[in-house]
Amino acid sequence: MRVRPNTWLLGLAALVALGTGTVPGAAAVGDGLDPTFAGTGTVDLGPLTPTAYAPVSDGGLVVAGDVPADGLGRFVVQRYTPSGSLDPTFSFDGSVRLRFAPGADSRATFVIVRPNGKLVVLGLWNPDGAGTRLGVIRTTAAGGYDPTFAGDGRTTIGFGDVYAVHDARVLDDGRLAIVLTARPSDASGAFVQWSVRLLPDGRPDPSLSLLGIEDVSYYAPFPSASRPSLEGVKILPSGRYFRLVRATGTPPYVHVLGKHTSTGTTSPDFSTDGKVWLRCAPGDGAVDATLLLDPAHRPLVACGAEDIGNDETTAWIRRYTRAGVPDAAFSGDGASTVVFVPRASVDAMLDPVGRPIAYTRASAFVATRLNLAGAVDPPFGTAGTAEATFPSSTNVDCRTGPTRIYCVVLRAGPASELAVAVATS
């Protein structure tokens, strides 16, 4: 299946069908922005640099980020209502400053919104300038530190130097599962992947290990001359997880999709040996890939392959069954494509029911949604494609909420902008 959106025609049709909005300080835009959010579809975050965000089930949004010259090493968490205003039920004015430990620079990198309104915020803190550690905060629904978690609502875990938190999830039994890349506690040696488990009260989970952490590095299947690159992790409600690794450092680029237990061993119920080798796109393209997980717990792999000669980018989306074989119910062979013209960096996400949305991470924002069968979904936008314009943007990162696509738009200069693209239903 191959779709080539006509950006001029679809943009014109959307202007007529859905009206126009205005980005503050910019020209009018097309069908993308939702005027029921802050009147224009955008909120200017001012000096806040967003580092993590998550949609809320009521249609609102939580954003965490850095602010300049705080002086106490804190980061800011803001909660927005579905109408785009700061939520007065959250810390009185919709904004709170938090840190993982006193006297240490803190930075949020991951946010989970619980059904009861509590937040779980994960990130990095630097107590002595020698390396970053992992910090976890749980707030009350009102934005304060939750005293039922680790005594004062926050805990830290003694890795030597944390590189990234790849995924985190509150499991069905209330435990917090995390997969990250870090050095050992003495900050020596190479960065490796770790599985972390915390009990609902914030203590380390002894069922994983005495300290609640486990080395889950995954190098054995790869050629000795290759240095595998972790592309994505998605944790299942049971605590098992999928991991996508780029297995080769030079073309042709090959990826491995594996399913793992909490201790890092491959899961025998996925493919023949717990992993699938794949080329996300034909040929030598698709250096980077995105791992997605739908509500039925089926993994999807999405990647973009640029064609410089034709000035286009093809987004490849592959869906696998829970048994680890290409899903024939998705476009017949488990693979579908969307072609974007002109060429641009692309990414993908899933809406709440599991429909893939491929989009361009550029000022000329274009998003195409596929249905669950892998075909273009006409109810989305205009003929399956929606557009918006984010002037002066340098990067666009998007997530789906219950009825909207939320995008954080990084602009040239000191300011960032929070924008809402288009209804997803």
Side-chain angles (χ1 to χ4, degrees):
M1 188 273 297
R2 184 175 170 88
V3 185
R4 188 185 300 268
N6 184 318
T7 56
W8 179 83
L9 178 61
L10 291 177
L12 179 61
L15 283 169
V16 174
L18 299 178
T20 62
T22 303
V23 178
V29 298
D31 65 337
L33 299 186
D34 181 353
T36 67
F37 186 81
T40 62
T42 68
V43 171
D44 196 324
L45 299 178
L48 177 67
T49 300
T51 56
Y53 65 107
V56 183
S57 60
D58 66 0
L61 192 73
V62 170
V63 182
D66 299 329
V67 290
D70 174 76
L72 297 175
R74 300 174 299 180
F75 57 86
V76 172
V77 178
Q78 297 179 338
R79 181 166 179 147
Y80 290 88
T81 67
S83 64
S85 60
L86 287 170
D87 186 348
T89 69
F90 184 78
S91 192
F92 302 106
D93 62 357
S95 181
V96 66
R97 296 195 178 200
L98 303 170
R99 57 184 175 181
F100 296 114
D105 289 334
S106 300
R107 187 182 194 193
T109 60
F110 204 97
V111 176
I112 301 171
V113 183
R114 303 287 289 128
N116 59 8
K118 294 183 177 184
L119 306 180
V120 178
V121 184
L122 298 91
L124 311 178
W125 67 291
N126 191 332
D128 52 15
T132 52
R133 314 295 205 268
L134 174 67
V136 182
I137 290 173
R138 191 168 74 197
T139 74
T140 64
Y145 293 107
D146 182 357
T148 67
F149 182 80
D152 64 353
R154 53 191 176 181
T155 187
T156 58
I157 300 172
F159 292 101
D161 201 2
V162 177
Y163 174 71
V165 176
H166 301 294
D167 196 25
R169 182 174 191 144
V170 178
L171 306 181
D172 288 341
D173 59 9
R175 291 178 300 160
L176 177 62
I178 308 163
V179 176
L180 55 84
T181 295
R183 287 178 178 169
S185 58
D186 62 358
S188 65
F191 285 96
V192 297
Q193 281 107 53
W194 299 85
S195 176
V196 180
R197 294 286 187 278
L198 299 179
L199 297 175
D201 62 5
R203 291 177 298 144
D205 181 2
S207 69
L208 182 65
S209 71
L210 181 63
L211 299 178
I213 62 175
E214 184 75 20
D215 183 342
V216 292
S217 301
Y218 187 54
Y219 298 142
F222 307 113
S224 59
S226 173
R227 180 65 174 173
S229 171
L230 182 63
E231 302 279 275
V233 174
K234 289 296 178 183
I235 301 173
L236 294 159
S238 64
R240 296 189 176 197
Y241 59 92
F242 289 102
R243 174 164 42 187
L244 182 67
V245 176
R246 190 175 77 228
T248 54
T250 57
Y253 297 105
V254 177
H255 288 80
V256 176
L257 173 64
K259 184 179 180 183
H260 303 270
T261 67
S262 60
T263 58
T265 59
T266 53
S267 184
D269 62 348
F270 185 74
S271 189
T272 56
D273 56 359
K275 58 184 178 293
V276 174
W277 294 77
L278 64 104
R279 282 194 188 177
C280 189
D284 293 344
V287 177
D288 298 315
T290 298
L291 177 61
L292 306 169
L293 184 67
D294 75 4
H297 304 155
R298 295 173 297 196
L300 294 89
V301 177
C303 63
E306 295 186 2
D307 184 337
I308 298 176
N310 291 320
D311 193 25
E312 65 183 27
T313 299
T314 300
W316 288 81
I317 301 175
R318 299 181 181 276
R319 192 174 77 192
Y320 293 84
T321 67
R322 295 170 67 174
V325 297
D327 190 349
F330 188 75
S331 200
D333 60 357
S336 190
T337 61
V338 178
V339 178
F340 294 100
V341 180
R343 176 170 54 95
S345 175
V346 299
D347 206 343
M349 53 191 164
L350 297 178
D351 75 1
V353 299
R355 291 172 293 200
I357 301 173
Y359 68 95
T360 59
R361 306 187 65 165
S363 58
F365 174 82
V366 182
T368 295
R369 188 174 76 184
L370 307 180
N371 60 26
L372 295 178
V376 171
D377 197 9
F380 179 81
T382 302
T385 295
E387 298 182 357
T389 300
F390 304 121
S392 303
S393 68
T394 59
N395 192 26
V396 178
D397 183 77
C398 300
R399 312 273 170 83
T400 55
T403 59
R404 293 166 168 159
I405 296 174
Y406 288 102
C407 298
V408 167
V409 180
L410 300 181
R411 296 178 296 185
S416 296
E417 179 177 280
L418 173 67
V420 180
V422 69
T424 60
S425 59

